[in-house]
Amino acid sequence: MSRRALDNPIVLAVLGLLLEGPAHPHRMLAALRERSDHHAAAITRGTLYNTVAALTGAGWLAPRARERSGNRPERTVYALTEDGRRELVRRLDSQIRTPEREFPRFLGAVAHLGALGTDGAADALTERLRRLRSRTAADEERLAAALTAGVPRLHVIEAEYALSLARAEAAWIASVVEELRTGSLAPPTGPAPTSTPP
Protein backbone atom coordinates (compact mmCIF):
# COMPACT_ATOMS: atom_id res chain seq x y z
CA MET A 1 0.00 0.00 0.00
CA SER A 2 1.28 3.44 -0.92
CA ARG A 3 1.81 5.82 1.98
CA ARG A 4 1.17 8.63 -0.49
CA ALA A 5 -2.39 7.37 -1.04
CA LEU A 6 -3.05 7.66 2.70
CA ASP A 7 -1.69 11.22 2.69
CA ASN A 8 -4.09 12.27 -0.07
CA PRO A 9 -6.33 15.16 1.11
CA ILE A 10 -9.47 13.27 0.08
CA VAL A 11 -8.81 10.59 2.72
CA LEU A 12 -10.43 12.78 5.35
CA ALA A 13 -13.40 13.49 3.08
CA VAL A 14 -13.95 9.77 2.40
CA LEU A 15 -13.65 8.79 6.06
CA GLY A 16 -16.02 11.60 7.04
CA LEU A 17 -18.54 10.60 4.40
CA LEU A 18 -18.54 6.97 5.52
CA LEU A 19 -19.11 8.12 9.10
CA GLU A 20 -22.64 8.86 7.86
CA GLY A 21 -23.09 5.31 6.59
CA PRO A 22 -21.74 2.66 4.20
CA ALA A 23 -21.51 3.47 0.48
CA HIS A 24 -19.97 2.17 -2.72
CA PRO A 25 -17.32 4.28 -4.47
CA HIS A 26 -19.69 5.48 -7.19
CA ARG A 27 -22.05 6.89 -4.55
CA MET A 28 -19.08 8.35 -2.61
CA LEU A 29 -17.84 10.17 -5.72
CA ALA A 30 -21.28 11.63 -6.47
CA ALA A 31 -21.77 12.76 -2.86
CA LEU A 32 -18.33 14.36 -2.56
CA ARG A 33 -18.74 16.22 -5.86
CA GLU A 34 -22.22 17.39 -4.87
CA ARG A 35 -21.06 18.74 -1.53
CA SER A 36 -17.97 20.64 -2.59
CA ASP A 37 -16.78 22.56 -5.63
CA HIS A 38 -13.23 21.75 -4.50
CA HIS A 39 -13.94 18.02 -4.50
CA ALA A 40 -15.75 18.26 -7.83
CA ALA A 41 -12.57 19.61 -9.40
CA ALA A 42 -10.05 17.53 -7.48
CA ILE A 43 -11.48 14.01 -7.31
CA THR A 44 -11.34 11.70 -10.26
CA ARG A 45 -12.85 8.24 -10.37
CA GLY A 46 -9.38 6.67 -10.43
CA THR A 47 -8.15 8.73 -7.47
CA LEU A 48 -11.17 7.77 -5.42
CA TYR A 49 -10.87 4.05 -6.21
CA ASN A 50 -7.14 4.13 -5.36
CA THR A 51 -7.90 5.92 -2.09
CA VAL A 52 -10.62 3.42 -1.17
CA ALA A 53 -8.20 0.55 -1.91
CA ALA A 54 -5.51 2.18 0.28
CA LEU A 55 -7.98 2.80 3.12
CA THR A 56 -9.15 -0.80 2.91
CA GLY A 57 -5.55 -2.02 2.95
CA ALA A 58 -4.90 0.11 6.05
CA GLY A 59 -7.89 -1.49 7.78
CA TRP A 60 -9.82 1.79 7.95
CA LEU A 61 -12.57 0.59 5.58
CA ALA A 62 -14.06 -2.84 5.10
CA PRO A 63 -16.29 -4.24 2.36
CA ARG A 64 -19.77 -4.89 3.77
CA ALA A 65 -21.96 -5.95 0.85
CA ARG A 66 -22.32 -6.01 -2.89
CA GLU A 67 -25.12 -4.15 -4.66
CA ARG A 68 -26.53 -4.42 -8.13
CA SER A 69 -28.79 -1.84 -9.72
CA GLY A 70 -30.56 -2.99 -12.87
CA ASN A 71 -28.10 -4.51 -15.32
CA ARG A 72 -25.13 -2.48 -14.02
CA PRO A 73 -22.13 -4.33 -12.61
CA GLU A 74 -22.10 -5.24 -8.94
CA ARG A 75 -20.66 -2.56 -6.68
CA THR A 76 -18.90 -3.17 -3.38
CA VAL A 77 -20.28 -1.22 -0.43
CA TYR A 78 -17.67 -0.09 2.10
CA ALA A 79 -18.09 0.81 5.74
CA LEU A 80 -15.89 2.63 8.21
CA THR A 81 -14.14 0.30 10.67
CA GLU A 82 -13.39 1.19 14.28
CA ASP A 83 -9.77 1.78 13.27
CA GLY A 84 -11.02 4.05 10.51
CA ARG A 85 -13.20 5.98 12.95
CA ARG A 86 -10.22 6.45 15.28
CA GLU A 87 -8.06 7.62 12.37
CA LEU A 88 -10.75 10.08 11.29
CA VAL A 89 -10.92 11.54 14.81
CA ARG A 90 -7.12 11.69 15.06
CA ARG A 91 -6.78 13.52 11.73
CA LEU A 92 -9.64 15.90 12.46
CA ASP A 93 -8.26 16.76 15.87
CA SER A 94 -4.77 17.38 14.49
CA GLN A 95 -5.92 19.47 11.51
CA ILE A 96 -8.26 21.62 13.59
CA ARG A 97 -5.71 22.23 16.36
CA THR A 98 -2.70 22.93 14.16
CA PRO A 99 -2.74 25.84 11.71
CA GLU A 100 -0.57 25.15 8.69
CA ARG A 101 0.65 27.46 5.98
CA GLU A 102 -1.24 26.56 2.86
CA PHE A 103 -0.25 27.89 -0.53
CA PRO A 104 -3.18 28.19 -2.91
CA ARG A 105 -2.50 29.15 -6.52
CA PHE A 106 -3.80 32.67 -5.97
CA LEU A 107 -1.18 33.27 -3.27
CA GLY A 108 1.55 32.22 -5.68
CA ALA A 109 0.16 34.56 -8.35
CA VAL A 110 -0.12 37.50 -5.95
CA ALA A 111 3.59 37.14 -5.18
CA HIS A 112 4.27 38.23 -8.79
CA LEU A 113 1.41 40.70 -9.20
CA GLY A 114 3.79 43.49 -10.22
CA ALA A 115 4.66 41.64 -13.44
CA LEU A 116 1.22 42.62 -14.78
CA GLY A 117 1.95 46.32 -14.38
CA THR A 118 -0.25 48.63 -12.34
CA ASP A 119 -3.17 48.76 -14.79
CA GLY A 120 -2.95 45.06 -15.67
CA ALA A 121 -2.88 44.08 -12.00
CA ALA A 122 -5.83 46.32 -11.18
CA ASP A 123 -7.82 44.95 -14.13
CA ALA A 124 -7.06 41.32 -13.27
CA LEU A 125 -7.92 41.82 -9.61
CA THR A 126 -11.12 43.66 -10.51
CA GLU A 127 -12.20 40.74 -12.69
CA ARG A 128 -11.38 38.27 -9.91
CA LEU A 129 -13.35 40.40 -7.46
CA ARG A 130 -16.39 40.41 -9.75
CA ARG A 131 -16.28 36.64 -10.14
CA LEU A 132 -15.61 36.08 -6.45
CA ARG A 133 -18.57 38.24 -5.41
CA SER A 134 -20.84 36.43 -7.87
CA ARG A 135 -19.77 33.02 -6.58
CA THR A 136 -20.05 34.17 -2.97
CA ALA A 137 -23.61 35.42 -3.53
CA ALA A 138 -24.59 32.05 -5.01
CA ASP A 139 -22.91 30.21 -2.12
CA GLU A 140 -24.73 32.43 0.40
CA GLU A 141 -28.05 31.55 -1.24
CA ARG A 142 -27.26 27.83 -1.13
CA LEU A 143 -26.25 28.02 2.53
CA ALA A 144 -29.36 30.02 3.46
CA ALA A 145 -31.55 27.50 1.61
CA ALA A 146 -29.92 24.58 3.44
CA LEU A 147 -30.43 26.24 6.82
CA THR A 148 -34.02 27.16 5.97
CA ALA A 149 -34.63 23.54 4.97
CA GLY A 150 -33.59 22.50 8.47
CA VAL A 151 -30.05 21.29 7.85
CA PRO A 152 -28.24 21.70 11.21
CA ARG A 153 -25.69 24.52 11.10
CA LEU A 154 -22.92 22.19 12.28
CA HIS A 155 -23.48 20.06 9.14
CA VAL A 156 -22.75 23.02 6.87
CA ILE A 157 -20.19 24.82 9.02
CA GLU A 158 -17.50 24.33 6.36
CA ALA A 159 -19.62 26.33 3.90
CA GLU A 160 -19.86 29.12 6.45
CA TYR A 161 -16.07 29.06 6.90
CA ALA A 162 -15.50 29.12 3.12
CA LEU A 163 -17.82 32.13 2.83
CA SER A 164 -15.92 33.90 5.58
CA LEU A 165 -12.64 33.36 3.69
CA ALA A 166 -14.21 34.51 0.40
CA ARG A 167 -15.53 37.70 2.00
CA ALA A 168 -12.13 38.45 3.55
CA GLU A 169 -10.42 37.86 0.18
CA ALA A 170 -12.93 40.14 -1.57
CA ALA A 171 -12.33 42.92 0.96
CA TRP A 172 -8.56 42.59 0.56
CA ILE A 173 -8.75 42.60 -3.24
CA ALA A 174 -11.00 45.67 -3.23
CA SER A 175 -8.51 47.56 -1.03
CA VAL A 176 -5.55 46.58 -3.24
CA VAL A 177 -7.41 47.62 -6.40
CA GLU A 178 -8.15 50.98 -4.79
CA GLU A 179 -4.46 51.41 -3.90
CA LEU A 180 -3.39 50.50 -7.44
CA ARG A 181 -5.90 52.90 -8.99
CA THR A 182 -4.90 55.80 -6.71
CA GLY A 183 -1.18 55.13 -7.09
CA SER A 184 -0.51 54.48 -3.41
CA LEU A 185 0.62 50.96 -4.36
CA ALA A 186 3.13 51.24 -7.16
CA PRO A 187 5.76 48.87 -8.58
CA PRO A 188 9.15 49.19 -6.85
CA THR A 189 11.83 51.11 -8.68
CA GLY A 190 14.92 49.59 -7.06
CA PRO A 191 16.17 46.03 -6.53
CA ALA A 192 13.91 43.65 -4.62
CA PRO A 193 14.59 43.39 -0.88
CA THR A 194 16.36 40.26 0.29
CA SER A 195 14.45 39.73 3.55
CA THR A 196 11.36 37.52 3.61
CA PRO A 197 8.24 38.69 5.46
CA PRO A 198 6.98 36.41 8.27
Side-chain angles (χ1 to χ4, degrees):
M1 164 190 31
S2 166
R3 183 73 224 174
R4 174 182 280 177
L6 295 178
D7 290 336
N8 189 313
I10 70 166
V11 165
L12 191 65
V14 171
L15 293 175
L17 181 66
L18 291 179
L19 186 64
E20 300 171 19
H24 54 69
H26 183 75
R27 188 178 303 148
M28 292 179 214
L29 183 60
L32 291 171
R33 285 179 170 170
E34 180 180 300
R35 294 178 185 194
S36 166
D37 290 340
H38 171 72
H39 289 139
I43 300 179
T44 65
R45 188 171 179 269
T47 300
L48 180 63
Y49 276 86
N50 288 341
T51 300
V52 167
L55 295 174
T56 304
W60 300 343
L61 303 184
R64 285 290 180 257
R66 292 184 67 77
E67 284 183 359
R68 182 185 294 277
S69 176
N71 55 358
R72 293 182 179 178
E74 279 192 334
R75 293 179 171 151
T76 302
V77 175
Y78 293 87
L80 197 61
T81 64
E82 281 306 310
D83 284 346
R85 185 181 298 265
R86 281 191 290 273
E87 180 62 18
L88 171 63
V89 169
R90 185 193 70 74
R91 286 182 184 223
L92 283 173
D93 186 72
S94 173
Q95 289 185 25
I96 289 172
R97 287 177 188 272
T98 311
E100 293 184 9
R101 291 191 187 273
E102 297 175 11
F103 296 96
R105 291 184 346 174
F106 180 57
L107 181 59
V110 165
H112 305 287
L113 189 62
L116 296 177
T118 302
D119 290 340
D123 289 347
L125 287 171
T126 299
E127 176 65 13
R128 182 182 183 89
L129 182 58
R130 183 191 65 75
R131 292 180 182 188
L132 184 60
R133 285 177 171 162
S134 175
R135 188 183 73 191
T136 299
D139 290 347
E140 286 170 339
E141 286 180 14
R142 281 201 303 270
L143 177 58
L147 294 172
T148 300
V151 176
R153 181 174 167 223
L154 194 58
H155 290 185
V156 289
I157 200 80
E158 76 280 3
E160 187 178 299
Y161 172 71
L163 280 168
S164 178
L165 292 180
R167 291 182 192 118
E169 181 183 324
W172 181 83
I173 291 172
S175 70
V176 171
V177 168
E178 177 66 19
E179 290 181 81
L180 288 165
R181 298 286 190 212
T182 61
S184 61
L185 178 61
T189 55
T194 55
S195 63
T196 304

